[in-house]
Amino acid sequence: MFSVHTVAGQVFVFVLGLVLLLVTAGAVALVVQGRRDSMAEARAHTLSVAETFAYAPGTAAALDSKNPTAILQPRAEEVRKRAQVEYVVVAGQQGIRYTHPNPALIGGHLTGPYKEALAGHAYTWTFTGGGGSSVNSVVPVPRANGSIAGLVSVGITVESVNAVADRSIPLAAGAALAALAITTAGATLLSRRLRRQTHGLGTAEMTRMYEHHDAVLHAVREGVLIVESDRRLTLANDEARRLLDLPPDAEGRPVAELGLDPDTAELLVSGRTVTDEVLRVGNRLLAVNLRPTDTHGGPPGTVVTLRDTTELRAVTGQAEFATERLLLLYEAGARIGTTLDVTRTAQELADVAIPGFADAATVDLADPVLRGDEPVTPDGATLEMRRTAIAAVRPDHPLYPVGHVVGFVPGRTRAMRVHNDDADLKADFKKLGWRNWDHGVVERIKEQGFHSIVSVPLHARGVILGMANFWRSGDSEPFDDDDVSFAEELVARGAVGVDNARRYTREHTMAVTLQRSLLPRSLPEQNALDVAHRYLPAHEGVGGDWFDVIPLSGARVALVVGDVVGHGLHAAATMGRLRTSVHNFSSLDPTPDELLGHLDELVARIDRDEAGDGNVEIAGATCLYAVYDAVSGNCAVARAGHPGPVLVLPDGTVEFPEVPTGLPLGIGGMPFEAAEFHVPEGSRLVLYTDGLVERRGRDIDTGLDLLRDALSGRDRTPEETCDDVLDAMLHDQPMDDVALLVARTRVLDPDQVAQWAVATDPAAVAGVRKNVSEWLTDRGLEEEAFATELILSELVTNAVRYGTAPIEVRLLYDRNLICEVSDSSSTSPHLRYAATTDEGGRGLFLVAQFAERWGTRYTETGKVIWSEQTVAEHEEDTATAGEPEGNTS
């Protein structure tokens, strides 16, 4: 009630504040006036006492006597006491005091403007002395002859004056409090009454309620009535008056006297709760709603709302029809183009039209569109289209099946409608531009009652991709102009989806072609590993997965598996660059961790170059590089953010060798580490990309467990292993590229390897040549002895002259004859052309002439210079192995 946010509280605060202000002002005025009157009384009193004393008989004579003080001091003290003043002082003409309440001050001079009184005029003033503010009156004492005998000064302090006035303050305060109490009680009663009447609302709420009330009465386009419990109309707004044709004085009258029809009057006073009950009033259809008014504490009665639905009823059918079409277009937007497959998109377009729009729908596309190409529209000739999708209410429809070629003359880009019940339906097909329609199909179409057709070309970017045809049969209404417009809108959305799928098919085909062209077409010949591989592109775009098998020197083979970040042409092109770089780096024969370090720098440089060109794509990648040595049976592996290898032992046991995980390529900052482990002969090394074990909704650990199960068990060839792994791991087309590499290991027979230690003496070369000759003769390689001795002589001589001990010679007889000379020096020899007068410098030149390949690789203790020679017997075996039996040419 006392809240200032309500009208009652504001009135209470205002009244109380006004009373407080008036009472306070009255009390202050009373006190001030009392003190003012007291001061005037003090002036008059002191002046009266001074005049009485000055004009008293004997005062002038006493002043002229020899001892005025003795005569006047007792008189002055007696007057002071009786008159209740502070002091009565009598002074001579020179202002010397003859009397004073304090005898010590007698004989002193008066203070103040007493000289004016010597002129014969009484004077009163207020001054501040030691006792505070005082009122003082000075009166001259005249002689009989009119001269001035002296002065009489009478004073009283202001405090004494106020003490007199303050006696009236309690009375004034009591009167003010009484007035305040009476006024507060009245204001409280007024506020309570006002609060009940305003329901505790504030001024802003009351203003807003009035505005809303005014809007309801005049602006709302819905009729509002309030009927009290005694069936009298309390309120009717302008719209209600118009809808019910009420008289001007309707408010306050019983509803039964308003001239309404009985049904309407009965409904208004029924007191029921009604929702959108249709009531006919004259030529109008009104939707009536009734609700009780006392639900939330209001007075008993009924509030009625009226809404004119006459025109709404007329357009309801059209609105429902338009809503259905909008929903169908919304459904088409959600269902058409869910995949980037041309055939699937065409089928989605046909399905969305059945049965909401047509009884049957077909989609015919040009053959180039199905391949991802853009069709070339012939001038005036028939564009061959193939039935790609069909949907119908009846499964036994007579329309051409999927795959049938339907000719079309592309002479229009707008929809065309045909409604025909006569026998010339085939002529109508030709009018639509269709060809290749035989008589039997036309007859079956007529037998099933197809009577209305809308044919809409699918065109995108100015090119006709195909045709969409909608059919109605039986009791269905023929297509009208609105249906034709809707069909064009529906087909336009479908055409966008088909064109997107076509362009994606083209780009996907190009990317797959590029990807496969960048992958190994065939594996190189080598005897260290029996290798099988698989590559599966992603379902929606190729990625950058790759694999490689690279023969190295010394009967060693490098296995590479990598994955470039991203999908599409950029990833495929980056993959090609990385694969070429791996080949180039491997020709230098570095260790796996060193090769990944070089590759990491390359990827980082690619990223910087592309970022400088404004290309936001990143060429990051993962890679695993493994080198298998067929002589020792050891495998050295390093990986950069890539899944580790899997080792399947000959007995079927599956192991996951521990290989340190490096950061992906392109990040930099940390060196790579390599791990080396022994691989028993007949084991299988399995390398793969993450698309094999990772997929949406499946943890990578689960994928690795599935891979373990697929690899364990019986011994299988690498080809069988690839098939079994893919069957177990991939039940549908992968969402990411998958590269799989399976290699069965072999080890060179000890009889194919020879190794000798060489002393650091040029004379030791002869012993090496002898040992090599004997070893070659034992294996039937006498024809290779001369070249081999020459090569080893030069290599050993270089090692003795320029290398450091220990020096070793190793011969390997695999597919080729491999000679290796190792020493502890890291200095690599260089091939050069010696001048005619040079005594040396021709050794490596001779090695290069007699060897198929040669090179240098570095080890932890030094270097190895190697050469490979093609064995004549091996060449002959290779040449005859490819000839068919009985070939004598």
Side-chain angles (χ1 to χ4, degrees), residues 494-516:
V496 173
V498 170
D499 188 57
N500 289 338
R502 177 194 66 80
R503 297 172 67 182
Y504 170 77
T505 301
R506 180 186 62 188
E507 294 179 0
H508 182 69
T509 302
M510 292 173 57
V512 171
T513 302
L514 174 62
Q515 174 84 341
R516 293 192 181 278

PDB file of all heavy atoms in Angstrom, residues 494-516:
ATOM      1  N   GLY A 494      15.577 -29.940 -58.715  1.00  0.00           N
ATOM      2  CA  GLY A 494      16.203 -31.200 -59.062  1.00  0.00           C
ATOM      3  C   GLY A 494      17.334 -31.036 -60.047  1.00  0.00           C
ATOM      4  O   GLY A 494      18.348 -31.751 -59.978  1.00  0.00           O
ATOM      5  N   ALA A 495      17.206 -30.084 -60.994  1.00  0.00           N
ATOM      6  CA  ALA A 495      18.255 -29.873 -61.989  1.00  0.00           C
ATOM      7  C   ALA A 495      19.544 -29.397 -61.334  1.00  0.00           C
ATOM      8  O   ALA A 495      20.642 -29.791 -61.741  1.00  0.00           O
ATOM      9  CB  ALA A 495      17.786 -28.867 -63.039  1.00  0.00           C
ATOM     10  N   VAL A 496      19.415 -28.559 -60.308  1.00  0.00           N
ATOM     11  CA  VAL A 496      20.615 -28.102 -59.594  1.00  0.00           C
ATOM     12  C   VAL A 496      21.315 -29.284 -58.943  1.00  0.00           C
ATOM     13  O   VAL A 496      22.552 -29.419 -58.998  1.00  0.00           O
ATOM     14  CB  VAL A 496      20.239 -27.035 -58.548  1.00  0.00           C
ATOM     15  CG1 VAL A 496      21.431 -26.682 -57.685  1.00  0.00           C
ATOM     16  CG2 VAL A 496      19.697 -25.790 -59.239  1.00  0.00           C
ATOM     17  N   GLY A 497      20.513 -30.165 -58.302  1.00  0.00           N
ATOM     18  CA  GLY A 497      21.113 -31.330 -57.684  1.00  0.00           C
ATOM     19  C   GLY A 497      21.765 -32.259 -58.689  1.00  0.00           C
ATOM     20  O   GLY A 497      22.863 -32.791 -58.453  1.00  0.00           O
ATOM     21  N   VAL A 498      21.114 -32.476 -59.833  1.00  0.00           N
ATOM     22  CA  VAL A 498      21.691 -33.338 -60.871  1.00  0.00           C
ATOM     23  C   VAL A 498      22.970 -32.729 -61.429  1.00  0.00           C
ATOM     24  O   VAL A 498      23.968 -33.430 -61.641  1.00  0.00           O
ATOM     25  CB  VAL A 498      20.650 -33.581 -61.983  1.00  0.00           C
ATOM     26  CG1 VAL A 498      21.308 -34.262 -63.185  1.00  0.00           C
ATOM     27  CG2 VAL A 498      19.502 -34.426 -61.468  1.00  0.00           C
ATOM     28  N   ASP A 499      22.960 -31.416 -61.655  1.00  0.00           N
ATOM     29  CA  ASP A 499      24.158 -30.779 -62.206  1.00  0.00           C
ATOM     30  C   ASP A 499      25.309 -30.818 -61.202  1.00  0.00           C
ATOM     31  O   ASP A 499      26.465 -31.046 -61.582  1.00  0.00           O
ATOM     32  CB  ASP A 499      23.838 -29.335 -62.591  1.00  0.00           C
ATOM     33  CG  ASP A 499      24.986 -28.680 -63.336  1.00  0.00           C
ATOM     34  OD1 ASP A 499      25.406 -29.213 -64.376  1.00  0.00           O
ATOM     35  OD2 ASP A 499      25.485 -27.643 -62.853  1.00  0.00           O
ATOM     36  N   ASN A 500      24.985 -30.614 -59.917  1.00  0.00           N
ATOM     37  CA  ASN A 500      26.043 -30.722 -58.905  1.00  0.00           C
ATOM     38  C   ASN A 500      26.620 -32.129 -58.865  1.00  0.00           C
ATOM     39  O   ASN A 500      27.844 -32.316 -58.773  1.00  0.00           O
ATOM     40  CB  ASN A 500      25.495 -30.346 -57.530  1.00  0.00           C
ATOM     41  CG  ASN A 500      25.208 -28.862 -57.404  1.00  0.00           C
ATOM     42  OD1 ASN A 500      25.770 -28.048 -58.139  1.00  0.00           O
ATOM     43  ND2 ASN A 500      24.334 -28.499 -56.483  1.00  0.00           N
ATOM     44  N   ALA A 501      25.734 -33.122 -58.931  1.00  0.00           N
ATOM     45  CA  ALA A 501      26.212 -34.509 -58.930  1.00  0.00           C
ATOM     46  C   ALA A 501      27.028 -34.802 -60.183  1.00  0.00           C
ATOM     47  O   ALA A 501      28.029 -35.520 -60.139  1.00  0.00           O
ATOM     48  CB  ALA A 501      25.027 -35.461 -58.821  1.00  0.00           C
ATOM     49  N   ARG A 502      26.588 -34.246 -61.328  1.00  0.00           N
ATOM     50  CA  ARG A 502      27.338 -34.473 -62.569  1.00  0.00           C
ATOM     51  C   ARG A 502      28.730 -33.864 -62.476  1.00  0.00           C
ATOM     52  O   ARG A 502      29.732 -34.512 -62.823  1.00  0.00           O
ATOM     53  CB  ARG A 502      26.579 -33.850 -63.744  1.00  0.00           C
ATOM     54  CG  ARG A 502      27.304 -33.968 -65.079  1.00  0.00           C
ATOM     55  CD  ARG A 502      26.691 -33.053 -66.109  1.00  0.00           C
ATOM     56  NE  ARG A 502      26.885 -31.648 -65.772  1.00  0.00           N
ATOM     57  CZ  ARG A 502      28.004 -30.977 -65.991  1.00  0.00           C
ATOM     58  NH1 ARG A 502      29.064 -31.583 -66.517  1.00  0.00           N
ATOM     59  NH2 ARG A 502      28.098 -29.702 -65.661  1.00  0.00           N
ATOM     60  N   ARG A 503      28.800 -32.639 -62.005  1.00  0.00           N
ATOM     61  CA  ARG A 503      30.108 -31.997 -61.905  1.00  0.00           C
ATOM     62  C   ARG A 503      30.987 -32.703 -60.879  1.00  0.00           C
ATOM     63  O   ARG A 503      32.199 -32.843 -61.081  1.00  0.00           O
ATOM     64  CB  ARG A 503      29.911 -30.533 -61.516  1.00  0.00           C
ATOM     65  CG  ARG A 503      29.145 -29.744 -62.571  1.00  0.00           C
ATOM     66  CD  ARG A 503      28.794 -28.353 -62.099  1.00  0.00           C
ATOM     67  NE  ARG A 503      29.975 -27.539 -61.924  1.00  0.00           N
ATOM     68  CZ  ARG A 503      29.952 -26.280 -61.473  1.00  0.00           C
ATOM     69  NH1 ARG A 503      28.792 -25.734 -61.157  1.00  0.00           N
ATOM     70  NH2 ARG A 503      31.054 -25.587 -61.342  1.00  0.00           N
ATOM     71  N   TYR A 504      30.355 -33.170 -59.802  1.00  0.00           N
ATOM     72  CA  TYR A 504      31.156 -33.912 -58.829  1.00  0.00           C
ATOM     73  C   TYR A 504      31.666 -35.213 -59.438  1.00  0.00           C
ATOM     74  O   TYR A 504      32.812 -35.611 -59.203  1.00  0.00           O
ATOM     75  CB  TYR A 504      30.324 -34.225 -57.589  1.00  0.00           C
ATOM     76  CG  TYR A 504      31.015 -35.187 -56.654  1.00  0.00           C
ATOM     77  CD1 TYR A 504      32.036 -34.767 -55.819  1.00  0.00           C
ATOM     78  CD2 TYR A 504      30.659 -36.542 -56.641  1.00  0.00           C
ATOM     79  CE1 TYR A 504      32.681 -35.649 -54.987  1.00  0.00           C
ATOM     80  CE2 TYR A 504      31.304 -37.435 -55.811  1.00  0.00           C
ATOM     81  CZ  TYR A 504      32.309 -36.985 -54.984  1.00  0.00           C
ATOM     82  OH  TYR A 504      32.952 -37.867 -54.163  1.00  0.00           O
ATOM     83  N   THR A 505      30.801 -35.900 -60.209  1.00  0.00           N
ATOM     84  CA  THR A 505      31.231 -37.141 -60.857  1.00  0.00           C
ATOM     85  C   THR A 505      32.412 -36.887 -61.773  1.00  0.00           C
ATOM     86  O   THR A 505      33.380 -37.664 -61.808  1.00  0.00           O
ATOM     87  CB  THR A 505      30.055 -37.741 -61.650  1.00  0.00           C
ATOM     88  OG1 THR A 505      28.965 -38.000 -60.756  1.00  0.00           O
ATOM     89  CG2 THR A 505      30.467 -39.041 -62.326  1.00  0.00           C
ATOM     90  N   ARG A 506      32.351 -35.769 -62.510  1.00  0.00           N
ATOM     91  CA  ARG A 506      33.466 -35.453 -63.395  1.00  0.00           C
ATOM     92  C   ARG A 506      34.743 -35.171 -62.595  1.00  0.00           C
ATOM     93  O   ARG A 506      35.814 -35.713 -62.901  1.00  0.00           O
ATOM     94  CB  ARG A 506      33.112 -34.237 -64.252  1.00  0.00           C
ATOM     95  CG  ARG A 506      34.211 -33.818 -65.229  1.00  0.00           C
ATOM     96  CD  ARG A 506      33.839 -32.531 -65.914  1.00  0.00           C
ATOM     97  NE  ARG A 506      33.703 -31.455 -64.931  1.00  0.00           N
ATOM     98  CZ  ARG A 506      33.234 -30.244 -65.232  1.00  0.00           C
ATOM     99  NH1 ARG A 506      32.843 -29.960 -66.459  1.00  0.00           N
ATOM    100  NH2 ARG A 506      33.144 -29.316 -64.297  1.00  0.00           N
ATOM    101  N   GLU A 507      34.618 -34.344 -61.572  1.00  0.00           N
ATOM    102  CA  GLU A 507      35.805 -34.028 -60.780  1.00  0.00           C
ATOM    103  C   GLU A 507      36.320 -35.256 -60.037  1.00  0.00           C
ATOM    104  O   GLU A 507      37.538 -35.450 -59.909  1.00  0.00           O
ATOM    105  CB  GLU A 507      35.473 -32.912 -59.785  1.00  0.00           C
ATOM    106  CG  GLU A 507      35.160 -31.583 -60.465  1.00  0.00           C
ATOM    107  CD  GLU A 507      34.799 -30.503 -59.455  1.00  0.00           C
ATOM    108  OE1 GLU A 507      34.812 -30.825 -58.257  1.00  0.00           O
ATOM    109  OE2 GLU A 507      34.488 -29.377 -59.874  1.00  0.00           O
ATOM    110  N   HIS A 508      35.394 -36.081 -59.552  1.00  0.00           N
ATOM    111  CA  HIS A 508      35.824 -37.286 -58.854  1.00  0.00           C
ATOM    112  C   HIS A 508      36.561 -38.227 -59.805  1.00  0.00           C
ATOM    113  O   HIS A 508      37.587 -38.821 -59.437  1.00  0.00           O
ATOM    114  CB  HIS A 508      34.606 -37.982 -58.260  1.00  0.00           C
ATOM    115  CG  HIS A 508      34.935 -39.216 -57.470  1.00  0.00           C
ATOM    116  ND1 HIS A 508      35.591 -39.180 -56.274  1.00  0.00           N
ATOM    117  CD2 HIS A 508      34.709 -40.529 -57.730  1.00  0.00           C
ATOM    118  CE1 HIS A 508      35.752 -40.402 -55.811  1.00  0.00           C
ATOM    119  NE2 HIS A 508      35.230 -41.249 -56.681  1.00  0.00           N
ATOM    120  N   THR A 509      36.030 -38.355 -61.015  1.00  0.00           N
ATOM    121  CA  THR A 509      36.688 -39.214 -61.991  1.00  0.00           C
ATOM    122  C   THR A 509      38.074 -38.681 -62.328  1.00  0.00           C
ATOM    123  O   THR A 509      39.050 -39.440 -62.431  1.00  0.00           O
ATOM    124  CB  THR A 509      35.831 -39.304 -63.260  1.00  0.00           C
ATOM    125  OG1 THR A 509      34.530 -39.808 -62.913  1.00  0.00           O
ATOM    126  CG2 THR A 509      36.476 -40.234 -64.280  1.00  0.00           C
ATOM    127  N   MET A 510      38.159 -37.353 -62.505  1.00  0.00           N
ATOM    128  CA  MET A 510      39.465 -36.756 -62.791  1.00  0.00           C
ATOM    129  C   MET A 510      40.434 -36.972 -61.624  1.00  0.00           C
ATOM    130  O   MET A 510      41.608 -37.312 -61.841  1.00  0.00           O
ATOM    131  CB  MET A 510      39.300 -35.256 -63.059  1.00  0.00           C
ATOM    132  CG  MET A 510      38.554 -34.931 -64.337  1.00  0.00           C
ATOM    133  SD  MET A 510      38.212 -33.162 -64.485  1.00  0.00           S
ATOM    134  CE  MET A 510      39.863 -32.493 -64.376  1.00  0.00           C
ATOM    135  N   ALA A 511      39.930 -36.780 -60.395  1.00  0.00           N
ATOM    136  CA  ALA A 511      40.812 -36.941 -59.242  1.00  0.00           C
ATOM    137  C   ALA A 511      41.262 -38.389 -59.096  1.00  0.00           C
ATOM    138  O   ALA A 511      42.434 -38.665 -58.796  1.00  0.00           O
ATOM    139  CB  ALA A 511      40.097 -36.474 -57.976  1.00  0.00           C
ATOM    140  N   VAL A 512      40.327 -39.335 -59.323  1.00  0.00           N
ATOM    141  CA  VAL A 512      40.705 -40.747 -59.224  1.00  0.00           C
ATOM    142  C   VAL A 512      41.709 -41.109 -60.300  1.00  0.00           C
ATOM    143  O   VAL A 512      42.679 -41.837 -60.060  1.00  0.00           O
ATOM    144  CB  VAL A 512      39.447 -41.633 -59.311  1.00  0.00           C
ATOM    145  CG1 VAL A 512      39.830 -43.103 -59.445  1.00  0.00           C
ATOM    146  CG2 VAL A 512      38.572 -41.439 -58.082  1.00  0.00           C
ATOM    147  N   THR A 513      41.475 -40.575 -61.515  1.00  0.00           N
ATOM    148  CA  THR A 513      42.415 -40.850 -62.597  1.00  0.00           C
ATOM    149  C   THR A 513      43.796 -40.299 -62.263  1.00  0.00           C
ATOM    150  O   THR A 513      44.822 -40.966 -62.467  1.00  0.00           O
ATOM    151  CB  THR A 513      41.894 -40.229 -63.902  1.00  0.00           C
ATOM    152  OG1 THR A 513      40.597 -40.762 -64.187  1.00  0.00           O
ATOM    153  CG2 THR A 513      42.831 -40.536 -65.055  1.00  0.00           C
ATOM    154  N   LEU A 514      43.821 -39.047 -61.754  1.00  0.00           N
ATOM    155  CA  LEU A 514      45.103 -38.469 -61.360  1.00  0.00           C
ATOM    156  C   LEU A 514      45.739 -39.266 -60.232  1.00  0.00           C
ATOM    157  O   LEU A 514      46.944 -39.544 -60.255  1.00  0.00           O
ATOM    158  CB  LEU A 514      44.895 -37.016 -60.921  1.00  0.00           C
ATOM    159  CG  LEU A 514      46.126 -36.307 -60.352  1.00  0.00           C
ATOM    160  CD1 LEU A 514      47.228 -36.214 -61.398  1.00  0.00           C
ATOM    161  CD2 LEU A 514      45.747 -34.918 -59.829  1.00  0.00           C
ATOM    162  N   GLN A 515      44.916 -39.661 -59.253  1.00  0.00           N
ATOM    163  CA  GLN A 515      45.449 -40.411 -58.118  1.00  0.00           C
ATOM    164  C   GLN A 515      46.064 -41.725 -58.577  1.00  0.00           C
ATOM    165  O   GLN A 515      47.172 -42.074 -58.186  1.00  0.00           O
ATOM    166  CB  GLN A 515      44.318 -40.672 -57.117  1.00  0.00           C
ATOM    167  CG  GLN A 515      44.689 -41.556 -55.944  1.00  0.00           C
ATOM    168  CD  GLN A 515      45.342 -40.782 -54.833  1.00  0.00           C
ATOM    169  OE1 GLN A 515      45.825 -39.699 -55.056  1.00  0.00           O
ATOM    170  NE2 GLN A 515      45.366 -41.344 -53.655  1.00  0.00           N
ATOM    171  N   ARG A 516      45.341 -42.441 -59.420  1.00  0.00           N
ATOM    172  CA  ARG A 516      45.855 -43.746 -59.863  1.00  0.00           C
ATOM    173  C   ARG A 516      47.074 -43.583 -60.764  1.00  0.00           C
ATOM    174  O   ARG A 516      47.969 -44.434 -60.774  1.00  0.00           O
ATOM    175  CB  ARG A 516      44.757 -44.522 -60.573  1.00  0.00           C
ATOM    176  CG  ARG A 516      43.619 -44.932 -59.650  1.00  0.00           C
ATOM    177  CD  ARG A 516      42.695 -45.928 -60.309  1.00  0.00           C
ATOM    178  NE  ARG A 516      41.589 -46.308 -59.429  1.00  0.00           N
ATOM    179  CZ  ARG A 516      41.674 -47.229 -58.478  1.00  0.00           C
ATOM    180  NH1 ARG A 516      42.826 -47.856 -58.272  1.00  0.00           N
ATOM    181  NH2 ARG A 516      40.635 -47.525 -57.727  1.00  0.00           N
TER     182      ARG A 516
END
